[in-house]
Amino acid sequence: GESVGLHLPTLSVQEGDNSIINCAYSNSASDYFIWYKQESGKGPQFIIDIRSNMDKRQGQRVTVLLNKTVKHLSLQIAATQPGDSAVYFCAENGGGTSYGKLTFGQGTILTVHP
Amino acid sequence: NAGVTQTPKFQVLKTGQSMTLQCAQDMNHNSMYWYRQDPGMGLRLIYYSASEGTTDKGEVPNGYNVSRLNKREFSLRLESAAPSQTSVYFCASIVSGGTDTQYFGPGTRLTVL
């Protein structure tokens, strides 16, 4: 199957800065994308999602951007806080009959320094 | 409402031993999933159950079996554990009604010696 990958495996920022985490996907049939946050010793936690008929979606302090032309997904975190330190994964659903089956990227480690 | 629960949290096995990882969800979700996560990697799908009474292989099913006991419970069995199965195992379930958002349990950390 096709895979989802990340450009940057690690990202270090200062508290209060904005963070941008990137993700490249290769399956043009995918129509649903999700960002997860995983803290040490815990399961992935849903952050925000976006469907392929959208190019931007905003949540609380987070924004996901989708560029279907270049198959790129990004997660923007505003005013990053130490509690945002975690591994962030993007995932895609593969579209069509792949309903509910997600393909995950490798993850980006975000470290926020006080 | 506990969400997705998994037992045990930790387990150490010797090569060749068997065990069953348990997963339950109380959100009335139709679909359930088992993933493994190896150090520094994303999650890989082992098996899934789209609905009660059905199971299907995912990306890495070899060495595992599953049982969808009822709508709430989905178990993963290792019949003869191997060191390559040392990993963290996550169970997930999906919201019913058309989205693909999966909700994850806290994980089981398995070490096979």
Side-chain angles (χ1 to χ4, degrees), chain B residues 7 9 17-18 20-21 30 37 45 66 77 91 96 101 111:
Chain B
T7 56
K9 291 190 181 342
Q17 287 185 315
S18 62
T20 300
L21 283 66
N30 287 326
Q37 184 177 34
L45 183 64
V66 290
R77 182 160 179 84
C91 177
S96 303
T101 302
T111 301

Side-chain angles (χ1 to χ4, degrees), chain A residues 31-32 34 36 38 41-46 49 51 89 93 97-107, chain B residues 31 33 35 37 40-43 45 48 57 90 94-106 109:
Chain A
D31 58 10
Y32 183 67
I34 309 170
Y36 284 94
Q38 187 177 26
K42 297 183 179 180
Q45 178 185 6
F46 171 85
D49 59 2
R51 291 217 170 267
F89 294 95
N93 76 336
T97 58
S98 300
Y99 173 76
K101 293 172 62 178
L102 297 177
T103 299
F104 285 80
Q106 290 182 307
Chain B
S31 303
Y33 306 80
Y35 292 88
Q37 184 177 34
M41 296 183 67
L43 285 77
L45 183 64
Y48 68 102
K57 296 178 180 179
F90 289 100
I94 196 167
V95 173
S96 303
T99 73
D100 298 336
T101 302
Q102 295 186 10
Y103 291 87
F104 287 83
R109 187 174 297 275

Side-chain angles (χ1 to χ4, degrees), chain A residues 14-78:
Chain A
Q14 291 296 128
E15 182 178 2
D17 288 351
N18 296 332
S19 302
I20 299 176
I21 301 171
N22 296 302
C23 177
Y25 67 94
S26 56
N27 188 346
S28 57
S30 293
D31 58 10
Y32 183 67
F33 304 88
I34 309 170
W35 280 101
Y36 284 94
K37 172 186 180 183
Q38 187 177 26
E39 297 175 287
S40 180
K42 297 183 179 180
Q45 178 185 6
F46 171 85
I47 302 174
I48 193 168
D49 59 2
I50 189 168
R51 291 217 170 267
S52 59
N53 61 352
M54 303 172 68
D55 54 20
K56 180 179 180 179
R57 192 171 187 205
Q58 289 184 293
Q60 186 175 13
R61 284 203 303 120
V62 294
T63 300
V64 55
L65 300 178
L66 176 62
N67 185 330
K68 295 181 288 294
T69 302
V70 295
K71 297 178 187 172
H72 184 267
L73 192 68
S74 69
L75 175 70
Q76 300 178 359
I77 305 174

Side-chain angles (χ1 to χ4, degrees), chain B residues 4-106:
Chain B
V4 180
T5 57
Q6 293 183 237
T7 56
K9 291 190 181 342
F10 301 94
Q11 184 70 50
V12 178
L13 294 177
K14 295 180 180 178
T15 297
Q17 287 185 315
S18 62
M19 79 161 295
T20 300
L21 283 66
Q22 306 288 352
C23 174
Q25 52 89 11
D26 60 2
M27 297 175 283
N28 200 36
H29 291 173
N30 287 326
S31 303
M32 298 182 73
Y33 306 80
W34 275 107
Y35 292 88
R36 61 177 289 173
Q37 184 177 34
D38 298 310
M41 296 183 67
L43 285 77
R44 292 184 293 169
L45 183 64
I46 305 172
Y47 269 94
Y48 68 102
S49 171
S51 61
E52 186 177 355
T54 69
T55 61
D56 286 286
K57 296 178 180 179
E59 180 185 355
V60 289
N62 291 344
Y64 305 95
N65 286 299
V66 290
S67 295
R68 184 72 183 268
L69 305 171
N70 47 56
K71 190 172 185 179
R72 290 186 64 249
E73 299 172 288
F74 188 39
S75 63
L76 179 72
R77 182 160 179 84
L78 287 71
E79 290 291 350
S80 179
S84 62
Q85 293 178 305
T86 294
S87 190
V88 181
Y89 292 85
F90 289 100
C91 177
S93 65
I94 196 167
V95 173
S96 303
T99 73
D100 298 336
T101 302
Q102 295 186 10
Y103 291 87
F104 287 83

